[in-house]
Amino acid sequence: MSQTVAKSNQTKRWQEMDAAHHLHPFTTHHELAKKGARVITKAKGVHIWDSEGNRLIDGMAGLWCVQVGYGREELAEAGYKALKELPFYNTFFQTTHPYAAELSAKLAEVTPKGIDRFFFANSGSEGNDSAVKIIRYYWNLQGKPQKKVIIARKKAYHGVTMASASLSGLTSMHPQADLPLPGFVHIDCPYWYGDGGDMTPEDFGLKIARRLEEKILELGAENIAAFVAEPIQGAGGLIIPPSTYWPEINRICKKYDILLHVDEVICGFGRTGKWFGSDTYGIEPDMINMAKGLSSGYQPIAAVGIGGRIGEAIFNSSEEWSHGFTYSGHPVACAVALANLDVMQKEKLVEKAGGEIGAYFQKKLKELEDHPLVGETRGVGLIGGIELVKDKKTREKYPSELDVGYRCRVHCFDNGLVMRAIGDTMVLSPPLVITKGELDELFGLARRCIDLIAKDLGRS
Ligand code: PMP
């Protein structure tokens, strides 16, 4: 398997410092130390460069976040201006500042109907932890403290803090920290290609949505606080729900008086071709969590959006709400997020993802289905997955020891493309500013790298 070979002394120096002192997210450290981390030094538009001068097209928009592309002066200037004017002030003790006030009002404009109040955090994980506390507080305020159980889904990814990791349904995340915490349960997710067998996607979507009803009836609606889910499951393998899934979930949550918290960290801000995944799928959330695309990743900022009955309950409570971070609504992060949303609106990036560019991306994605290694492609807007399989007819996967997805990703890195592997599903989620010409470059490289892994596996 090829890997990056550090050529320059500078690269080696950074790799050595990194190996000696830096703990990375989701990494087997001694393995990384042996080969040395790839050092990324600059980025512009839809491209990134490593310290050896190699240019890569970033098919993942960083980590599903750089909606407006890299190197945008508007965002840099907004951050610089805020740094000079008000580099920090908190929003505790009955204060605010123009950036937090204006960003809250802007979010009320673009978020799904009924969501009109925003709590700021610094990461998607903190947002979901805050959401769990809001859910508990809401039911306590209603005089229903027994409504405590939160139902989430297998293969869900909601972050890494204690509550967010408990919400997450990727089981590898749990044992190291003795999770999930009590009161978090996981039901099946609508992974039709993997689990649907002979069922139509529509029948399968209904069947899996009704798992929620079954779980509610099993545990008693009087004990269930909320259902938490991503519109499309991202880090769980790009799982696109069949059209029947979300309408049924809406119905069930309403029928049993269960709050619906929608994690829009990946799907928010145009990724699915509308402002939010909830808009794309007709989801009726009580609460949403957003991060990533909110600032295009230029600054760490997240927001939990509430409205309706939760908003009223918290707003009208006679006691102080005991929650908040030093950096909640950080002025620089809010200023950059405002500039980001301004660019998105001026350049009609959501409309493009839902229109011509999204359609072109989906067409190019679908074309990969003629490849002998590709079992299914699936996507919406500017997000897509390519599932690599051993047998197209039976959908049989390769044994996990073969690390097919990981090896394909290595080919991508070596050939100038960032494409993520989740198991054997290759994932794309490029900046929303990507052009048709750049999509041609991206899909040309994707096909070349799938050819290379097919060759390794003796499939061509
Ligand atoms: N929710 C979802 C749906 C995510 O994809 C992620 C991160 N990929 C998170 C929450 C956690 O966000 P963060 O890494 O900013 O804590």
Side-chain angles (χ1 to χ4, degrees):
M1 203 179 306
S2 66
Q3 62 187 42
T4 322
V5 180
K7 296 186 190 86
S8 72
N9 286 336
Q10 178 60 279
T11 299
K12 276 192 202 136
R13 228 169 65 76
W14 281 324
Q15 288 178 329
E16 280 162 16
M17 290 192 289
D18 195 78
H21 303 294
H22 181 194
L23 290 177
H24 292 245
F26 289 90
T27 295
T28 310
H29 284 90
H30 64 92
E31 278 177 14
L32 179 64
K34 261 187 247 150
K35 61 184 175 188
R38 182 182 288 271
V39 184
I40 304 300
T41 49
K42 66 171 189 175
K44 181 82 187 158
V46 298
H47 291 97
I48 60 171
W49 280 260
D50 71 15
S51 53
E52 295 295 314
N54 297 305
R55 189 185 85 146
L56 297 102
I57 185 162
D58 186 4
M60 276 305 293
L63 206 44
W64 336 75
C65 41
V66 188
Q67 317 299 67
V68 298
Y70 296 99
R72 300 296 303 239
E73 288 293 325
E74 303 91 322
L75 275 66
E77 266 164 27
Y80 182 58
K81 189 163 166 278
L83 276 166
K84 284 198 297 185
E85 258 171 32
L86 187 68
F88 175 70
Y89 202 71
N90 64 75
T91 50
F92 287 57
F93 315 128
Q94 306 187 2
T95 62
T96 190
H97 50 71
Y99 307 100
E102 284 180 24
L103 182 59
S104 307
K106 173 59 84 179
L107 286 176
E109 235 177 70
V110 298
T111 48
K113 197 168 137 251
I115 303 287
D116 57 5
R117 290 194 165 99
F118 301 90
F119 169 74
F120 293 109
N122 310 290
S123 68
S125 301
E126 285 180 5
N128 279 325
D129 260 55
S130 302
V132 167
K133 288 179 74 177
I134 291 171
I135 289 165
R136 289 189 173 188
Y137 185 36
Y138 173 77
W139 288 118
N140 288 341
L141 281 171
Q142 301 312 299
K144 294 186 177 173
Q146 75 283 9
K147 267 173 106 62
K148 280 285 179 302
V149 175
I150 299 187
I151 303 177
R153 298 181 298 182
K154 295 174 188 166
K155 295 184 191 288
Y157 186 83
H158 296 293
V160 294
T161 49
M162 294 296 273
S164 297
S166 296
L167 288 172
S168 296
L170 293 163
T171 47
S172 58
M173 291 172 65
H174 292 153
Q176 291 177 0
D178 307 322
L179 297 171
L181 296 170
F184 291 83
V185 299
H186 298 90
I187 57 172
D188 290 333
C189 62
Y191 177 30
W192 174 76
Y193 184 74
D195 302 332
D198 293 337
M199 294 183 86
T200 63
E202 291 73 25
D203 286 348
F204 181 72
L206 273 183
K207 176 180 142 179
I208 296 301
R210 286 180 188 150
R211 292 273 197 265
L212 176 60
E213 189 157 34
E214 290 158 20
K215 187 54 85 181
I216 292 169
L217 294 173
E218 178 195 325
L219 300 178
E222 68 283 7
N223 299 314
I224 313 291
F227 177 60
V228 176
E230 305 151 78
I232 291 171
Q233 283 173 259
L238 224 278
I239 297 170
I240 307 273
S243 61
T244 47
Y245 181 79
W246 276 110
E248 187 65 358
I249 294 287
N250 283 335
R251 179 192 74 74
I252 295 167
C253 288
K254 285 207 172 71
K255 177 169 177 191
Y256 296 99
D257 199 17
I258 307 296
L259 295 176
L260 177 54
H261 170 48
V262 177
D263 185 347
E264 294 270 9
V265 166
I266 286 177
C267 294
F269 303 99
R271 180 56 57 200
T272 63
K274 298 218 166 134
W275 272 94
F276 287 86
S278 294
D279 303 324
T280 297
Y281 291 106
I283 307 171
E284 294 164 21
D286 291 294
M287 179 162 39
I288 62 174
N289 183 30
M290 60 208 115
K292 297 189 189 279
L294 169 55
S295 69
S296 278
Y298 279 51
Q299 285 286 295
I301 182 167
V304 180
I306 59 176
R309 56 182 178 159
I310 306 182
E312 291 306 309
I314 298 212
F315 192 75
N316 293 322
S317 170
S318 55
E319 63 186 352
E320 178 178 288
W321 183 39
S322 304
H323 186 66
F325 304 107
T326 298
Y327 300 132
S328 282
H330 191 288
V332 179
C334 289
V336 171
L338 275 165
N340 174 58
L341 297 181
D342 195 44
V343 168
M344 289 190 60
Q345 286 186 318
K346 283 200 178 118
E347 297 184 6
K348 299 199 180 325
L349 295 184
V350 181
E351 290 80 351
K352 282 184 186 159
E356 207 187 332
I357 284 291
Y360 192 68
F361 175 90
Q362 294 301 327
K363 175 176 163 286
K364 301 295 288 181
L365 183 71
K366 195 88 192 148
E367 281 170 12
L368 290 172
E369 284 192 354
D370 66 7
H371 197 284
L373 207 61
V374 175
E376 184 193 51
T377 64
R378 46 183 182 265
V380 57
L382 275 172
I383 192 167
I386 305 156
E387 187 151 347
L388 308 179
V389 292
K390 190 169 173 194
D391 188 324
K392 277 170 97 94
K393 262 212 197 87
T394 63
R395 305 182 190 171
E396 188 193 346
K397 296 178 200 290
Y398 278 101
S400 54
E401 314 82 80
L402 283 183
D403 274 338
V404 170
Y406 173 78
R407 288 159 65 192
C408 181
R409 191 190 67 172
V410 173
H411 282 307
C412 293
F413 268 126
D414 289 344
N415 283 275
L417 169 66
V418 182
M419 181 156 70
R420 178 163 170 187
I422 300 173
D424 292 346
T425 298
M426 308 310 297
V427 176
L428 289 167
S429 169
L432 305 189
V433 289
I434 198 160
T435 61
K436 281 188 176 175
E438 289 162 339
L439 282 172
D440 289 339
E441 176 189 349
L442 187 157
F443 280 101
L445 289 170
R447 184 176 285 275
R448 185 195 301 170
C449 296
I450 297 170
D451 280 345
L452 288 170
I453 182 68
K455 197 161 159 239
D456 297 345
L457 294 164
R459 289 283 296 277
S460 61

